[in-house]
Amino acid sequence: MISRIFIDIAVACGISTFLALVLVIAQRYLADYGICKVTINKKKEVSVQGGISLLGALSDQQIFLPSACGGRGSCGTCKCQLTSGGGPVLPTEKPFLSAKELGDGIRLSCQVKVKGDIEIQIEESIFNIRRYRTKVIDIVDYTYDIKGITFQLIDPQRIDFKAGQYVQLESQPYGKVKQKAVRAYSISSKPQDNGLIQLIIRLVPEGICTTWVHNHLKVGDEVFLTGPYGDFYIRDTEADMIFVAGGSGKAPIKSMLEYLQVVGTKRKMTYFFGARTCKDLYLTDEMKAFEKVFPDFKYEPVVSQPCPEEGWEGKLGYIMPYFPEAIRDPKNTEAYLCGSPGMLAAVQKALVELGVPQAKIYFDSFG
Ligand SMILES: Cc1cc2nc3c(=O)[nH]c(=O)nc-3n(C[C@H](O)[C@H](O)[C@H](O)COP(=O)(O)OP(=O)(O)OC[C@H]3O[C@@H](n4cnc5c(N)ncnc54)[C@H](O)[C@@H]3O)c2cc1C
Ligand code: FES
C-alpha cells in the first residue's frame, strides 16, 4: 500500500516536472513577442526585440541602465519606473523593492521580460551613459590579489564623469566560461584625465570577471566599458570629510582625492584604509603624499592582523575605534565609504553612534 503511494507521488512529480520543462522550452523557443515599443519619459519611442529583459532590450538601443551584477537579479541597481506594461512583479524583484517603490511601479529592469509595449520613466542623466571601446595600455600588480588597469578610450575618446562614479566592464568568454559577463568597477583615475579610465580590480576566487581580468587580460586588448554610473561622489559643501575604504574600495577614493588636488580644497579630511595584513596595503606612499598637498589631510592605514615578521608599527585592529579622534564636529561631517557590505554596515553603525547624520553618509557597496 505504502509503495503504491510512493509510486503515485513519483509519477505526479514526474508529470509536473515534464510539464514545467515543456513550458520553459515553449517560452524560450516558441513564444514570439516580435518587435515591441518602449516609450521613454512620454516623449521618446524605441522599438525593441520582445522576449528579452527590459535591461537587455534598452542596452541594445544604447540606453544603459545601471546594472552592477550584470542582470543576475542580485544587486538591485537596475531599478526603473514602469507606468504601463511589464506584467506582474516577480518574487526575484520583491527583496529589492520597498512598499513605496512597489506602489510607484518601480521594477528591476533585468527581471522584466518585454512581452508587449511598455512605458517607462528614467532620469535624463541615463542618456549620457555611453558604451566605450577601449584599449588596455597598462596593467600593474598592486598586491598579490589586486591589479590596477589603465584603459585608453578609443571610441568615444572622452568620458565625462564625477570622481567616485563607476563603469561596467564586459569580460569575454574564456575556458569553461562560455558567455560574456558584465560587472561594475569604480573609476580610480581623476575626471580631468578624461581620455583614459583606470580601475583597481581585486581577484575574487572563482569569480568570472576578475579571473578573466587577472589571468587573461593583456596590454593591447580591446575592452568595452559603459558608464558613468552611480551617485557616489563628493558633495560640494564645506563639511569635514571622513573617507573609509578596504581592498579595492580604494579606487573611488583615489579618484576623489586626485580630483580635489586639481580643484583645491581646504576641507578637513581623514582617510582610513583597513587592511588585514601588511600584504594588503598598497599605494600607501601615494596616499600619504596627499598630506603635503592638502592643508588638513591625514591618511591612516589600519592593519587588523599583521604578521609578526611584517614589523607593523602603525594603527592596529579595526578602524572604528580611531574615528573619535578624527571627527571634531559629527553634525558637520560627511562620510564617504567604499568596500564590502559587512565593513560598510559596521562603519555606518559606528559613525551614526558618534553623531554623524545618516543622510551625510555616502557609500558604494561592492557586494
Ligand atoms: C558599484 C560597484 C562598484 C564596484 N567597484 C569595484 C572595484 O572598483 N573593484 C573591485 O575589485 N570590485 C568592485 N566591485 C565588485 C565587482 O562588481 C564584482 O562583483 C567583483 O569583481 C566580482 O566579480 P566576478 O565576476 O569576478 O565574481 P562573480 O562570478 O560575480 O562571483 C563569484 C562568487 O564570489 C562572490 N562575490 C562576488 N563579488 C564578491 C566580492 N566583491 N567579494 C567577495 N566575494 C564576492 C559571489 O557571491 C559569487 O559567489 C564593485 C561592485 C559594485 C556594485
Ligand atoms: S542588474 Fe543587478 S539586479 Fe538587475
Side-chain angles (χ1 to χ4, degrees):
M1 179 63 186
I2 292 186
S3 63
R4 178 74 229 171
I5 292 173
F6 275 120
I7 290 169
D8 286 350
I9 292 173
V11 169
C13 287
I15 291 171
S16 47
T17 309
F18 175 74
L19 287 176
L21 262 173
V22 169
L23 205 66
V24 169
I25 292 168
Q27 282 264 4
R28 174 92 170 77
Y29 295 104
L30 303 180
D32 179 8
Y33 300 103
I35 300 296
C36 304
K37 191 174 73 182
V38 179
T39 308
I40 306 168
N41 297 352
K42 293 199 170 86
K43 55 183 184 203
K44 184 177 168 69
E45 272 182 22
V46 289
S47 298
V48 305
Q49 183 58 53
I52 61 172
S53 74
L54 177 60
L55 180 74
L58 290 174
S59 161
D60 288 346
Q61 300 298 319
Q62 304 295 303
I63 298 168
F64 302 104
L65 298 180
S67 62
C69 71
R72 291 181 298 179
S74 61
C75 70
T77 55
C78 60
K79 288 177 186 172
C80 170
Q81 188 178 29
L82 271 66
T83 47
S84 168
V89 177
L90 301 182
T92 44
E93 298 176 72
K94 286 186 180 159
F96 297 98
L97 301 172
S98 66
K100 175 162 188 333
E101 286 176 324
L102 284 167
D104 289 345
I106 307 291
R107 304 286 302 272
L108 293 192
S109 61
C110 71
Q111 302 298 302
V112 173
K113 199 165 173 180
V114 181
K115 295 180 179 173
D117 294 349
I118 292 181
E119 289 180 22
I120 63 171
Q121 284 288 127
I122 57 177
E123 283 178 25
E124 289 293 326
S125 60
I126 298 282
F127 295 112
N128 295 331
I129 298 171
R130 309 279 301 272
R131 187 168 185 259
Y132 293 84
R133 185 162 66 87
T134 76
K135 189 168 82 171
V136 177
I137 55 169
D138 192 36
I139 301 180
V140 189
D141 283 314
Y142 285 141
T143 72
Y144 61 97
D145 68 348
I146 294 184
K147 284 185 190 291
I149 298 125
T150 308
F151 303 84
Q152 185 190 341
L153 303 186
I154 310 288
D155 182 26
Q157 292 186 336
R158 301 272 174 257
I159 181 168
D160 185 15
F161 69 97
K162 290 182 183 163
Q165 287 190 296
Y166 68 92
V167 289
Q168 288 179 184
L169 177 150
E170 293 175 20
S171 67
Q172 296 299 317
Y174 60 93
K176 288 184 181 156
V177 178
K178 302 292 177 216
Q179 289 189 327
K180 296 179 179 190
V182 178
R183 299 286 185 271
Y185 294 99
S186 304
I187 305 171
S188 67
S189 45
K190 58 182 181 292
Q192 293 89 348
D193 293 336
N194 60 4
L196 56 81
I197 284 188
Q198 285 177 329
L199 305 179
I200 295 177
I201 300 187
R202 188 177 71 83
L203 178 66
V204 171
E206 311 288 320
I208 293 174
C209 186
T210 56
T211 302
W212 178 74
V213 167
H214 276 250
N215 299 348
H216 298 270
L217 192 64
K218 303 181 304 298
V219 168
D221 285 354
E222 190 173 83
V223 176
F224 285 92
L225 305 172
T226 60
Y229 300 95
D231 52 10
F232 184 59
Y233 53 81
I234 298 169
R235 272 46 183 185
D236 189 13
T237 69
E238 294 300 312
D240 295 349
M241 289 195 272
I242 294 262
F243 299 101
V244 180
S248 51
K250 183 165 268 173
I253 314 289
K254 175 177 170 293
S255 177
M256 288 174 174
L257 294 172
E258 291 182 355
Y259 162 78
L260 289 172
Q261 179 174 13
V262 176
V263 299
T265 182
K266 295 194 171 82
R267 293 169 73 173
K268 173 178 165 59
M269 298 184 281
T270 313
Y271 178 4
F272 290 98
F273 182 73
R276 198 168 62 82
T277 73
C278 295
K279 291 194 190 75
D280 299 301
L281 295 173
Y282 64 103
L283 291 175
T284 304
D285 292 344
E286 287 79 353
M287 297 301 116
K288 273 269 165 209
F290 285 118
E291 292 180 354
K292 295 204 170 72
V293 168
F294 301 115
D296 196 350
F297 175 84
K298 194 104 183 77
Y299 181 60
E300 301 279 19
V302 183
V303 182
S304 61
Q305 296 166 33
C307 303
E309 65 274 16
E310 289 176 333
W312 175 246
E313 290 176 347
K315 288 194 159 54
L316 203 58
Y318 291 116
I319 41 187
M320 286 78 85
Y322 299 103
F323 289 166
E325 62 197 61
I327 298 176
R328 59 180 176 187
D329 177 4
K331 295 271 170 288
N332 188 37
T333 297
E334 289 168 4
Y336 295 86
L337 326 175
C338 202
S340 67
M343 186 203 84
L344 294 190
V347 167
Q348 281 195 74
K349 185 168 176 289
L351 288 170
V352 170
E353 277 169 12
L354 286 169
V356 177
Q358 183 70 57
K360 291 186 180 179
I361 302 177
Y362 309 100
F363 59 89
D364 248 356
S365 170
F366 282 9

PDB file of all heavy atoms in Angstrom, residues 44-66:
ATOM      1  N   LYS A  44      10.078  59.736 -25.999  1.00  0.00           N
ATOM      2  CA  LYS A  44      10.977  59.014 -26.907  1.00  0.00           C
ATOM      3  C   LYS A  44      10.465  57.580 -27.051  1.00  0.00           C
ATOM      4  O   LYS A  44      10.115  56.946 -26.074  1.00  0.00           O
ATOM      5  CB  LYS A  44      12.390  59.025 -26.303  1.00  0.00           C
ATOM      6  CG  LYS A  44      13.464  58.400 -27.172  1.00  0.00           C
ATOM      7  CD  LYS A  44      14.824  58.553 -26.461  1.00  0.00           C
ATOM      8  CE  LYS A  44      15.905  57.718 -27.078  1.00  0.00           C
ATOM      9  NZ  LYS A  44      16.354  58.106 -28.379  1.00  0.00           N
ATOM     10  N   GLU A  45      10.416  57.093 -28.300  1.00  0.00           N
ATOM     11  CA  GLU A  45       9.958  55.717 -28.523  1.00  0.00           C
ATOM     12  C   GLU A  45      11.065  54.907 -29.162  1.00  0.00           C
ATOM     13  O   GLU A  45      11.706  55.361 -30.107  1.00  0.00           O
ATOM     14  CB  GLU A  45       8.771  55.730 -29.493  1.00  0.00           C
ATOM     15  CG  GLU A  45       7.445  55.904 -28.806  1.00  0.00           C
ATOM     16  CD  GLU A  45       6.297  55.873 -29.799  1.00  0.00           C
ATOM     17  OE1 GLU A  45       6.469  55.326 -30.918  1.00  0.00           O
ATOM     18  OE2 GLU A  45       5.253  56.408 -29.457  1.00  0.00           O
ATOM     19  N   VAL A  46      11.296  53.686 -28.624  1.00  0.00           N
ATOM     20  CA  VAL A  46      12.260  52.806 -29.283  1.00  0.00           C
ATOM     21  C   VAL A  46      11.589  51.460 -29.538  1.00  0.00           C
ATOM     22  O   VAL A  46      10.770  51.002 -28.752  1.00  0.00           O
ATOM     23  CB  VAL A  46      13.555  52.608 -28.445  1.00  0.00           C
ATOM     24  CG1 VAL A  46      14.405  53.858 -28.416  1.00  0.00           C
ATOM     25  CG2 VAL A  46      13.263  52.136 -27.036  1.00  0.00           C
ATOM     26  N   SER A  47      11.951  50.848 -30.668  1.00  0.00           N
ATOM     27  CA  SER A  47      11.422  49.521 -30.993  1.00  0.00           C
ATOM     28  C   SER A  47      12.447  48.502 -30.556  1.00  0.00           C
ATOM     29  O   SER A  47      13.621  48.596 -30.923  1.00  0.00           O
ATOM     30  CB  SER A  47      11.206  49.398 -32.504  1.00  0.00           C
ATOM     31  OG  SER A  47      10.264  50.352 -32.905  1.00  0.00           O
ATOM     32  N   VAL A  48      12.028  47.543 -29.738  1.00  0.00           N
ATOM     33  CA  VAL A  48      12.983  46.569 -29.192  1.00  0.00           C
ATOM     34  C   VAL A  48      12.504  45.161 -29.498  1.00  0.00           C
ATOM     35  O   VAL A  48      11.315  44.922 -29.757  1.00  0.00           O
ATOM     36  CB  VAL A  48      13.175  46.739 -27.660  1.00  0.00           C
ATOM     37  CG1 VAL A  48      13.577  48.154 -27.302  1.00  0.00           C
ATOM     38  CG2 VAL A  48      11.923  46.329 -26.895  1.00  0.00           C
ATOM     39  N   GLN A  49      13.437  44.235 -29.459  1.00  0.00           N
ATOM     40  CA  GLN A  49      13.104  42.832 -29.670  1.00  0.00           C
ATOM     41  C   GLN A  49      12.371  42.294 -28.436  1.00  0.00           C
ATOM     42  O   GLN A  49      12.911  42.369 -27.331  1.00  0.00           O
ATOM     43  CB  GLN A  49      14.402  42.043 -29.901  1.00  0.00           C
ATOM     44  CG  GLN A  49      14.184  40.585 -30.201  1.00  0.00           C
ATOM     45  CD  GLN A  49      13.301  40.364 -31.435  1.00  0.00           C
ATOM     46  OE1 GLN A  49      13.575  40.899 -32.505  1.00  0.00           O
ATOM     47  NE2 GLN A  49      12.218  39.622 -31.259  1.00  0.00           N
ATOM     48  N   GLY A  50      11.165  41.767 -28.596  1.00  0.00           N
ATOM     49  CA  GLY A  50      10.441  41.187 -27.474  1.00  0.00           C
ATOM     50  C   GLY A  50      11.075  39.874 -27.032  1.00  0.00           C
ATOM     51  O   GLY A  50      11.853  39.261 -27.777  1.00  0.00           O
ATOM     52  N   GLY A  51      10.748  39.467 -25.805  1.00  0.00           N
ATOM     53  CA  GLY A  51      11.225  38.167 -25.326  1.00  0.00           C
ATOM     54  C   GLY A  51      12.502  38.240 -24.520  1.00  0.00           C
ATOM     55  O   GLY A  51      12.937  37.232 -23.967  1.00  0.00           O
ATOM     56  N   ILE A  52      13.139  39.401 -24.478  1.00  0.00           N
ATOM     57  CA  ILE A  52      14.353  39.528 -23.650  1.00  0.00           C
ATOM     58  C   ILE A  52      14.080  40.518 -22.517  1.00  0.00           C
ATOM     59  O   ILE A  52      13.016  41.130 -22.469  1.00  0.00           O
ATOM     60  CB  ILE A  52      15.597  39.954 -24.472  1.00  0.00           C
ATOM     61  CG1 ILE A  52      15.384  41.321 -25.128  1.00  0.00           C
ATOM     62  CG2 ILE A  52      15.939  38.904 -25.516  1.00  0.00           C
ATOM     63  CD1 ILE A  52      16.642  41.862 -25.795  1.00  0.00           C
ATOM     64  N   SER A  53      15.049  40.672 -21.620  1.00  0.00           N
ATOM     65  CA  SER A  53      14.811  41.561 -20.476  1.00  0.00           C
ATOM     66  C   SER A  53      14.757  43.012 -20.938  1.00  0.00           C
ATOM     67  O   SER A  53      15.363  43.382 -21.950  1.00  0.00           O
ATOM     68  CB  SER A  53      15.927  41.398 -19.441  1.00  0.00           C
ATOM     69  OG  SER A  53      17.107  42.019 -19.911  1.00  0.00           O
ATOM     70  N   LEU A  54      14.030  43.811 -20.156  1.00  0.00           N
ATOM     71  CA  LEU A  54      13.946  45.238 -20.471  1.00  0.00           C
ATOM     72  C   LEU A  54      15.343  45.858 -20.436  1.00  0.00           C
ATOM     73  O   LEU A  54      15.696  46.679 -21.287  1.00  0.00           O
ATOM     74  CB  LEU A  54      13.025  45.921 -19.450  1.00  0.00           C
ATOM     75  CG  LEU A  54      12.860  47.429 -19.572  1.00  0.00           C
ATOM     76  CD1 LEU A  54      12.272  47.813 -20.923  1.00  0.00           C
ATOM     77  CD2 LEU A  54      11.967  47.962 -18.444  1.00  0.00           C
ATOM     78  N   LEU A  55      16.152  45.407 -19.462  1.00  0.00           N
ATOM     79  CA  LEU A  55      17.531  45.913 -19.348  1.00  0.00           C
ATOM     80  C   LEU A  55      18.316  45.629 -20.645  1.00  0.00           C
ATOM     81  O   LEU A  55      18.962  46.511 -21.214  1.00  0.00           O
ATOM     82  CB  LEU A  55      18.222  45.225 -18.160  1.00  0.00           C
ATOM     83  CG  LEU A  55      19.668  45.622 -17.897  1.00  0.00           C
ATOM     84  CD1 LEU A  55      19.747  47.008 -17.294  1.00  0.00           C
ATOM     85  CD2 LEU A  55      20.344  44.621 -16.964  1.00  0.00           C
ATOM     86  N   GLY A  56      18.232  44.385 -21.118  1.00  0.00           N
ATOM     87  CA  GLY A  56      18.957  43.993 -22.333  1.00  0.00           C
ATOM     88  C   GLY A  56      18.398  44.689 -23.553  1.00  0.00           C
ATOM     89  O   GLY A  56      19.158  45.116 -24.437  1.00  0.00           O
ATOM     90  N   ALA A  57      17.057  44.812 -23.615  1.00  0.00           N
ATOM     91  CA  ALA A  57      16.433  45.443 -24.779  1.00  0.00           C
ATOM     92  C   ALA A  57      16.857  46.909 -24.887  1.00  0.00           C
ATOM     93  O   ALA A  57      17.165  47.403 -25.975  1.00  0.00           O
ATOM     94  CB  ALA A  57      14.917  45.332 -24.659  1.00  0.00           C
ATOM     95  N   LEU A  58      16.905  47.603 -23.741  1.00  0.00           N
ATOM     96  CA  LEU A  58      17.324  49.012 -23.766  1.00  0.00           C
ATOM     97  C   LEU A  58      18.811  49.119 -24.103  1.00  0.00           C
ATOM     98  O   LEU A  58      19.226  50.010 -24.842  1.00  0.00           O
ATOM     99  CB  LEU A  58      17.043  49.674 -22.407  1.00  0.00           C
ATOM    100  CG  LEU A  58      15.563  49.905 -22.080  1.00  0.00           C
ATOM    101  CD1 LEU A  58      15.413  50.434 -20.663  1.00  0.00           C
ATOM    102  CD2 LEU A  58      14.919  50.868 -23.070  1.00  0.00           C
ATOM    103  N   SER A  59      19.600  48.194 -23.565  1.00  0.00           N
ATOM    104  CA  SER A  59      21.035  48.201 -23.838  1.00  0.00           C
ATOM    105  C   SER A  59      21.300  48.028 -25.336  1.00  0.00           C
ATOM    106  O   SER A  59      22.177  48.669 -25.915  1.00  0.00           O
ATOM    107  CB  SER A  59      21.691  47.102 -23.000  1.00  0.00           C
ATOM    108  OG  SER A  59      22.929  46.775 -23.499  1.00  0.00           O
ATOM    109  N   ASP A  60      20.491  47.177 -26.007  1.00  0.00           N
ATOM    110  CA  ASP A  60      20.624  47.011 -27.464  1.00  0.00           C
ATOM    111  C   ASP A  60      20.362  48.324 -28.192  1.00  0.00           C
ATOM    112  O   ASP A  60      20.825  48.531 -29.305  1.00  0.00           O
ATOM    113  CB  ASP A  60      19.624  45.958 -27.977  1.00  0.00           C
ATOM    114  CG  ASP A  60      20.035  44.548 -27.546  1.00  0.00           C
ATOM    115  OD1 ASP A  60      21.189  44.372 -27.113  1.00  0.00           O
ATOM    116  OD2 ASP A  60      19.185  43.643 -27.649  1.00  0.00           O
ATOM    117  N   GLN A  61      19.602  49.199 -27.547  1.00  0.00           N
ATOM    118  CA  GLN A  61      19.303  50.518 -28.140  1.00  0.00           C
ATOM    119  C   GLN A  61      20.272  51.592 -27.633  1.00  0.00           C
ATOM    120  O   GLN A  61      19.993  52.785 -27.733  1.00  0.00           O
ATOM    121  CB  GLN A  61      17.867  50.942 -27.773  1.00  0.00           C
ATOM    122  CG  GLN A  61      16.803  49.983 -28.260  1.00  0.00           C
ATOM    123  CD  GLN A  61      16.778  49.880 -29.767  1.00  0.00           C
ATOM    124  OE1 GLN A  61      16.904  50.886 -30.460  1.00  0.00           O
ATOM    125  NE2 GLN A  61      16.632  48.671 -30.280  1.00  0.00           N
ATOM    126  N   GLN A  62      21.384  51.142 -27.010  1.00  0.00           N
ATOM    127  CA  GLN A  62      22.393  52.076 -26.479  1.00  0.00           C
ATOM    128  C   GLN A  62      21.833  52.942 -25.354  1.00  0.00           C
ATOM    129  O   GLN A  62      22.252  54.084 -25.156  1.00  0.00           O
ATOM    130  CB  GLN A  62      22.979  52.981 -27.586  1.00  0.00           C
ATOM    131  CG  GLN A  62      23.588  52.211 -28.744  1.00  0.00           C
ATOM    132  CD  GLN A  62      24.819  51.388 -28.312  1.00  0.00           C
ATOM    133  OE1 GLN A  62      25.761  51.928 -27.780  1.00  0.00           O
ATOM    134  NE2 GLN A  62      24.757  50.093 -28.539  1.00  0.00           N
ATOM    135  N   ILE A  63      20.855  52.409 -24.623  1.00  0.00           N
ATOM    136  CA  ILE A  63      20.351  53.092 -23.423  1.00  0.00           C
ATOM    137  C   ILE A  63      20.728  52.193 -22.256  1.00  0.00           C
ATOM    138  O   ILE A  63      20.216  51.071 -22.137  1.00  0.00           O
ATOM    139  CB  ILE A  63      18.824  53.315 -23.487  1.00  0.00           C
ATOM    140  CG1 ILE A  63      18.506  54.216 -24.681  1.00  0.00           C
ATOM    141  CG2 ILE A  63      18.300  53.936 -22.197  1.00  0.00           C
ATOM    142  CD1 ILE A  63      17.039  54.271 -25.026  1.00  0.00           C
ATOM    143  N   PHE A  64      21.642  52.665 -21.416  1.00  0.00           N
ATOM    144  CA  PHE A  64      22.256  51.794 -20.412  1.00  0.00           C
ATOM    145  C   PHE A  64      21.759  52.150 -19.017  1.00  0.00           C
ATOM    146  O   PHE A  64      22.143  53.183 -18.466  1.00  0.00           O
ATOM    147  CB  PHE A  64      23.783  51.911 -20.471  1.00  0.00           C
ATOM    148  CG  PHE A  64      24.352  51.556 -21.819  1.00  0.00           C
ATOM    149  CD1 PHE A  64      24.790  52.544 -22.692  1.00  0.00           C
ATOM    150  CD2 PHE A  64      24.425  50.240 -22.228  1.00  0.00           C
ATOM    151  CE1 PHE A  64      25.299  52.219 -23.940  1.00  0.00           C
ATOM    152  CE2 PHE A  64      24.929  49.899 -23.469  1.00  0.00           C
ATOM    153  CZ  PHE A  64      25.367  50.899 -24.335  1.00  0.00           C
ATOM    154  N   LEU A  65      20.899  51.294 -18.449  1.00  0.00           N
ATOM    155  CA  LEU A  65      20.506  51.468 -17.045  1.00  0.00           C
ATOM    156  C   LEU A  65      21.619  50.871 -16.184  1.00  0.00           C
ATOM    157  O   LEU A  65      22.295  49.934 -16.615  1.00  0.00           O
ATOM    158  CB  LEU A  65      19.197  50.731 -16.768  1.00  0.00           C
ATOM    159  CG  LEU A  65      17.969  51.199 -17.551  1.00  0.00           C
ATOM    160  CD1 LEU A  65      16.757  50.371 -17.155  1.00  0.00           C
ATOM    161  CD2 LEU A  65      17.681  52.667 -17.302  1.00  0.00           C
ATOM    162  N   PRO A  66      21.817  51.391 -14.957  1.00  0.00           N
ATOM    163  CA  PRO A  66      22.836  50.792 -14.083  1.00  0.00           C
ATOM    164  C   PRO A  66      22.515  49.308 -13.864  1.00  0.00           C
ATOM    165  O   PRO A  66      21.346  48.947 -13.765  1.00  0.00           O
ATOM    166  CB  PRO A  66      22.708  51.565 -12.772  1.00  0.00           C
ATOM    167  CG  PRO A  66      21.932  52.785 -13.109  1.00  0.00           C
ATOM    168  CD  PRO A  66      21.089  52.464 -14.303  1.00  0.00           C
TER     169      PRO A  66
END
